[in-house]
């Protein structure tokens, strides 16, 4: 692949405008962590630089290793450092050719724990903020994750598989599988045992196992007074298969034996993002109620000491969490609810195409704390009235804020001028829907691209999309919307497509696109394209098998065969039951799944189609793309298949930088060929 030179600083050459390589000039802040006194914020800043001789032997984001020993301008990689600010310009606390992450303040604010892969796998380091070098705490062959301080500052907990390196693939050994949970997108084949919880005692300088779980620990939060912790896991293997979680109380170890947890809840439904109430007895969590399915919006629940949970926001019909799409989210974006005081919880909610912070009281009232009607809060941490957060808008990239002051200036160094979107509404029998158009500069008529989001229970809106800005700068009108099935518009809108993918959602997409063509005279109805990823790829396949109105299509990490998906996806054993009320392993459901599969009608496709997929995608396995491409070819449809090695379902958002650029260039080349 031919690439433009990588920028040496965020101020990129103007020649990068309207080029996929403009990605290299972007900065990616993440994981804002507020200091205990609320006056400083530590965060991770990721940038893209060429691999150097010093870094050429360290694992890259795909886990592969280069042994060339020479810099390669065609090997751009992510590097990240921990930065800190007291309200002024941020300064780096760490530096070098590594990926530093997960900064965590000690309770007294004098030390910062963080992870770094500078010695290979991510290890735990401790940095004295009064001065001095970072001290390496762990040296495990598998690395560590999820560091957390105990409230008294004596302990650091973390997850690790220690030195139990799984070398079965490397040695060519057979894997014996006894559960359908044997692989997961982003991590590959499941190791023999889940990561264990460890404790590092800073007083004694010792590290020991705390708890070896039977199933993965999905969340952990320390209890006040360092009386142990609450953790989230599945009580049984069947619960894990069906996404059922519960909360367990874990005491500190007594003697040399690991601690044994006690089950607190009998929730048996998705739950996490725990926030212990100041009284130390109750706790809040974000999840779905027992018996609910994937189409049910997440909300906030308050649990008593006996594990009984009650919804805290019963009259608020918007989902908890930031679910607005953006493609600058490299790293960790915490949205764990925080108790503002003993009667008020600060929670992130998605509201239409926006996301903001809201205060939820024990009485059930929900009021905005920080909500931009044209933006999205993507991450936050807080202590009382003090707040650190990251926000973005459709025309402003991710920026870090401390107590109301913006401390980063990434938007001032973009190599292009972002376009502001125009809002477009459309009508449905369930109410008004909304979407947006991004247009290139000038007054010329331009081709129109319909872009369909994944999920389906996510949302487009006011998140920053470098991809959309790129298409607009290249001379296209980008049309994107939230059809029924999207989130942020209430429970009825979210679940409107249950059991009927490709019906009302397709009608909404076409109604929105028609509204764009009618309301924006610059859009050329004779030059149109359709594209999308994941569920958006499914809809692209479905639409091109039902209509010939589009002159070009791009289907990315898509689904075409609902039957084979059920047995090959890492979520297939549960996903169709939740979404469609049936699954591939039941005789009575197969005919309906096949009727909803675009592959059934592939012989009717006439649209030239670019198929893009990643080999390690276990969410929408590559066999889906292989079936679609093979069928297109057999029916004589112009098509092109681009396969990315060592990438999974997240290529477009956090994949290796040069592969992200290659993907974007493939889009532009294919569209330009068919929409001159």
């Amino acid at each position: 692949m031919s690439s433009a030179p990588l920028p040496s600083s965020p101020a990129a050459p103007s020649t990068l405008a309207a080029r996929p390589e403009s990605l290299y000039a972007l900065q990616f802040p993440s994981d804002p962590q507020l200091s205990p006194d609320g006056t400083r914020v530590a965060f991770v800043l990721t940038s893209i630089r060429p691999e150097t001789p010093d870094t050429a032997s360290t694992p890259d984001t795909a886990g592969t290793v280069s042994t060339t020993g020479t810099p390669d301008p065609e090997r751009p990689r992510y590097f990240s450092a921990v930065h800190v600010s007291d309200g002024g310009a941020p300064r780096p606390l760490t530096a070098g050719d590594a990926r530093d992450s997960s900064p965590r303040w000690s309770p007294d604010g004098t030390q910062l724990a963080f992870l770094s892969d500078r010695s290979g796998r991510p290890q735990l380091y401790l940095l004295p903020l009064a001065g001095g070098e970072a001290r390496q705490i762990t040296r495990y062959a598998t690395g560590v994750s999820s560091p957390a301080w105990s409230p008294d500052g004596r302990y650091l907990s973390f997850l690790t598989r220690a030195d139990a390196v799984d070398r079965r693939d490397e040695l060519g050994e057979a894997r014996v599988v006894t559960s359908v949970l044997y692989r997961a997108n982003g991590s590959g084949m499941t190791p023999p045992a889940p990561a264990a919880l460890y404790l590092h005692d800073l007083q004694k300088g010792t590290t020991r196992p705390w708890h070896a779980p039977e199933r993965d620990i999905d969340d952990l939060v320390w209890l006040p007074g360092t009386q142990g912790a609450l953790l989230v896991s599945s009580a049984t293997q069947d619960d894990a298969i069906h996404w059922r979680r519960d909360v367990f109380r874990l005491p500190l170890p007594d003697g040399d034996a690991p601690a044994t947890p006690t089950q607190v809840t009998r929730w048996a439904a998705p739950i996490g993002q725990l926030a212990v109430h100041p009284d130390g007895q109750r706790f809040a969590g974000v999840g779905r109620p027992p018996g609910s399915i994937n189409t049910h919006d997440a909300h906030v629940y308050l649990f008593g000491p006996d594990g009984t949970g009650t919804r805290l926001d019963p009259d608020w019909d918007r989902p908890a969490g930031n679910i607005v799409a953006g493609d600058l989210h490299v790293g960790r974006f915490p949205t764990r609810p925080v108790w503002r005081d003993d009667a008020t919880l600060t929670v992130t909610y998605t509201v239409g195409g926006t996301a903001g912070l809201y205060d939820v009281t024990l009485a059930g009232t929900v009021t905005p704390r920080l909500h931009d009607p044209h933006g999205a809060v993507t991450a936050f941490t807080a202590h009382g009235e003090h707040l650190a957060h990251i926000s973005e808008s459709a025309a402003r990239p991710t920026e870090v804020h401390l107590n109301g002051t913006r401390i980063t200036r990434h938007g001032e160094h973009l190599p292009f001028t972002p376009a502001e979107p125009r809002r477009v509404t459309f009508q449905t029998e369930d109410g008004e829907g909304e979407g947006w158009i991004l247009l290139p500069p000038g007054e010329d008529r331009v081709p129109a691209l319909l872009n369909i989001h994944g999920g389906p229970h996510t949302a487009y809106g006011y998140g920053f999309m470098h991809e959309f800005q790129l298409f607009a700068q290249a001379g296209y009108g980008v049309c994107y919307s939230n059809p029924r099935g999207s989130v942020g518009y209430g429970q009825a809108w979210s679940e409107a497509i249950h059991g009927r993918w490709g019906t009302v959602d397709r009608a909404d997409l076409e109604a929105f696109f028609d509204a764009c063509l009618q309301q924006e005279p610059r859009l050329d109805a004779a030059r149109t394209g359709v594209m999308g990823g994941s569920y958006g790829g499914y809809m692209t396949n479905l639409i091109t098998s039902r209509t010939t109105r589009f002159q070009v299509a791009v289907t990315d990490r898509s689904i075409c065969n609902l039957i084979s998906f059920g047995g090959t996806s890492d979520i297939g054993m549960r996903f169709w039951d939740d979404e469609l009320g049936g699954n591939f392993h039941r005789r009575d459901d197969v005919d309906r799944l096949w009727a909803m599969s675009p592959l059934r009608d592939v012989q009717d496709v006439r649209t030239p189609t670019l198929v893009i997929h990643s080999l390690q995608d276990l969410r929408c396995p590559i066999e889906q793309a292989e079936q679609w491409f093979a069928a297109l070819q057999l029916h004589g449809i112009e098509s092109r298949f681009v396969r990315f090695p060592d990438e999974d379902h997240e290529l477009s958002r956090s994949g290796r930088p040069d592969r992200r650029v290659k993907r974007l260039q493939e889009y532009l080349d294919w569209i330009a060929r068919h929409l001159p």
Side-chain angles (χ1 to χ4, degrees):
M1 180 187 71
S2 176
S3 300
L6 291 179
S8 57
S9 71
S14 61
T15 54
L16 287 181
R19 296 282 296 168
E21 288 86 356
S22 60
L23 177 76
Y24 296 150
L26 302 182
Q27 301 282 290
F28 307 88
S30 64
D31 208 355
Q33 295 291 322
L34 188 66
S35 64
D37 63 2
T39 64
R40 293 171 290 172
V41 59
F43 64 96
V44 177
L45 185 61
T46 300
S47 59
I48 299 172
R49 305 197 307 270
E51 200 172 51
T52 67
D54 292 337
T55 62
S57 62
T58 60
D60 62 24
T61 57
T64 59
V65 175
S66 166
T67 57
T68 63
T70 58
D72 183 348
E74 303 249 345
R75 287 183 64 87
R77 297 292 184 269
Y78 296 112
F79 296 95
S80 56
V82 177
H83 286 60
V84 69
S85 169
D86 59 4
R91 62 183 179 88
L93 286 181
T94 65
D97 294 322
R99 295 197 72 172
D100 299 333
S101 63
S102 301
R104 299 293 180 267
W105 297 91
S106 63
D108 62 6
T110 64
Q111 302 180 88
L112 200 70
F114 66 96
L115 301 181
S116 178
D117 67 357
R118 61 191 63 179
S119 61
R121 298 290 181 181
Q123 304 292 346
L124 181 62
Y125 288 77
L126 195 58
L127 178 67
L129 296 177
E133 295 294 323
R135 176 167 59 93
Q136 186 172 347
I137 301 297
T138 64
R139 289 178 169 79
Y140 293 114
T142 60
V144 306
S145 65
S146 306
W149 288 88
S150 64
D152 63 2
R154 176 174 176 175
Y155 301 104
L156 274 165
S157 64
F158 56 88
L159 293 171
T160 182
R161 292 185 175 87
D163 295 323
V165 179
D166 186 357
R167 301 191 182 280
R168 285 176 292 180
D169 290 343
E170 177 185 334
L171 298 174
E173 295 181 358
R175 286 180 176 267
V176 178
V177 176
T178 58
S179 167
V180 294
L181 298 179
Y182 65 93
R183 57 183 184 163
N185 184 70
S187 56
M189 299 297 288
T190 303
L197 186 62
Y198 276 63
L199 273 182
H200 177 74
D201 188 328
L202 278 82
Q203 286 186 6
K204 297 181 179 179
T206 58
T207 304
R208 57 164 299 174
W210 186 3
H211 172 55
E214 294 184 32
R215 283 159 287 279
D216 287 336
I217 295 175
D218 296 321
D219 189 26
L220 180 137
V221 60
W222 280 88
L223 291 166
T226 312
Q227 300 175 16
L230 296 178
L231 62 86
V232 175
S233 189
S234 295
T236 68
Q237 184 78 344
D238 189 62
D239 282 347
I241 292 170
H242 292 92
W243 305 347
R244 296 190 291 257
R245 304 290 186 263
D246 272 296
V247 180
F248 299 78
R249 186 184 184 105
L250 183 68
L252 286 174
D254 182 13
D256 296 331
T260 301
T262 302
Q263 188 168 345
V264 176
T265 67
R266 296 294 187 275
W267 197 243
I271 193 71
Q273 301 278 63
L274 303 185
V276 181
H277 188 272
D279 64 15
Q281 301 300 310
R282 295 173 289 174
F283 60 91
V286 175
R288 301 185 179 102
S292 63
I293 57 178
N294 199 50
T295 58
H296 197 288
D297 287 345
H299 288 280
V300 183
Y301 294 84
L302 182 66
F303 294 85
D306 64 351
T308 301
T310 303
R311 184 170 159 183
L312 200 54
D313 56 358
D315 299 321
W316 180 248
D317 196 16
R318 295 294 185 269
N322 169 37
I323 321 173
V324 179
D327 59 6
L328 300 189
H329 302 168
V330 177
R332 183 178 177 274
F333 287 78
T335 56
R336 183 188 301 276
V338 174
W339 289 98
R340 190 169 186 173
D341 53 45
D342 60 4
T344 310
L345 189 68
T346 297
V347 181
T348 307
Y349 284 102
T350 295
V351 180
T354 73
L357 301 182
Y358 287 73
D359 284 339
V360 185
T361 68
L362 293 178
T365 61
V366 181
T367 56
R369 176 174 179 178
L370 179 66
H371 180 214
D372 177 358
H374 298 95
V377 174
T378 61
F380 86 100
T381 53
H383 302 311
E385 300 306 305
H386 298 286
L387 174 68
H389 76 278
I390 294 177
S391 68
E392 64 186 354
S393 73
R396 186 188 70 245
T398 45
E399 304 278 16
V400 183
H401 304 254
L402 175 62
N403 294 323
T405 299
R406 179 164 59 96
I407 62 170
T408 58
R409 295 290 186 270
H410 301 139
E412 298 172 8
H413 300 285
L414 291 176
F416 53 85
T417 301
E420 289 279 1
R422 170 185 172 180
R423 184 172 178 266
V424 175
T425 61
F426 58 95
Q427 299 302 317
T428 80
E429 60 266 33
D430 291 327
E432 184 178 80
E434 69 174 342
W436 298 265
I437 306 173
L438 275 180
L439 288 169
E443 301 299 328
D444 294 340
R445 297 199 76 193
V446 296
L449 305 178
L450 174 62
N451 198 298
I452 309 169
H453 68 61
H457 309 298
T458 58
Y460 276 149
Y462 293 98
F464 190 89
M465 293 289 291
H466 167 260
E467 180 174 317
F468 290 178
Q469 295 288 343
L470 170 67
F471 293 159
Q473 292 250 325
Y476 303 98
V478 185
C479 307
Y480 52 103
S481 69
N482 290 326
R484 277 172 285 183
S486 307
V487 298
Y489 303 90
Q491 183 59 47
W493 194 270
S494 298
E495 66 184 3
I497 63 170
H498 179 257
R500 51 178 185 165
W501 278 28
T503 58
V504 297
D505 44 356
R506 178 192 165 199
D508 289 358
L509 290 165
E510 294 186 349
F512 161 71
F513 196 56
D514 288 340
C516 291
L517 297 175
Q518 293 165 7
Q519 297 178 30
E520 179 48 65
R522 291 187 61 197
L523 295 179
D524 186 349
R527 293 183 293 161
T528 62
V530 61
M531 60 195 62
S534 196
Y535 161 81
Y538 165 84
M539 289 302 298
T540 298
N541 296 340
L542 185 88
I543 287 171
T544 56
S545 71
R546 302 289 197 275
T547 178
T548 58
R549 70 178 294 182
F550 296 97
Q551 286 74 56
V552 65
V554 182
T555 183
D556 201 331
R557 59 190 186 278
S558 73
I559 300 170
C560 70
N561 184 340
L562 275 60
I563 298 172
S564 64
F565 172 90
T568 56
S569 168
D570 66 341
I571 61 172
M573 67 291 298
R574 161 75 186 262
F575 193 65
W576 291 148
D577 286 317
D578 274 10
E579 292 291 333
L580 305 176
N583 218 329
F584 74 105
H585 55 87
R586 302 186 190 97
R587 182 185 304 111
D588 293 342
D589 298 336
V590 170
D591 288 345
R592 188 163 64 92
L593 292 177
W594 181 241
M596 299 173 71
S597 298
L599 190 62
R600 189 197 69 164
D601 299 309
V602 68
Q603 65 190 31
D604 297 326
V605 175
R606 298 294 181 267
T607 310
T609 302
L610 172 65
V611 180
I612 291 181
H613 222 101
S614 297
L615 270 68
Q616 300 304 316
D617 189 338
L618 301 180
R619 186 62 35 84
C620 295
I622 197 168
E623 58 91 16
Q624 294 286 313
E626 291 168 339
Q627 291 187 69
W628 191 245
F629 175 69
L632 292 174
Q633 288 279 303
L634 291 170
H635 285 284
I637 303 304
E638 183 185 358
S639 48
R640 177 179 173 89
F641 189 11
V642 182
R643 301 159 59 94
F644 285 93
D646 302 321
E647 296 290 348
D648 58 36
H649 201 63
E650 301 304 309
L651 168 62
S652 66
R653 294 176 281 257
S654 57
R656 206 174 78 179
D658 54 332
R659 293 175 183 148
R660 291 179 67 177
V661 167
K662 171 65 173 174
R663 170 185 171 274
L664 292 172
Q665 191 63 60
E666 288 285 344
Y667 267 74
L668 288 178
D669 291 347
W670 186 257
I671 296 168
R673 182 186 307 174
H674 297 93
L675 299 180

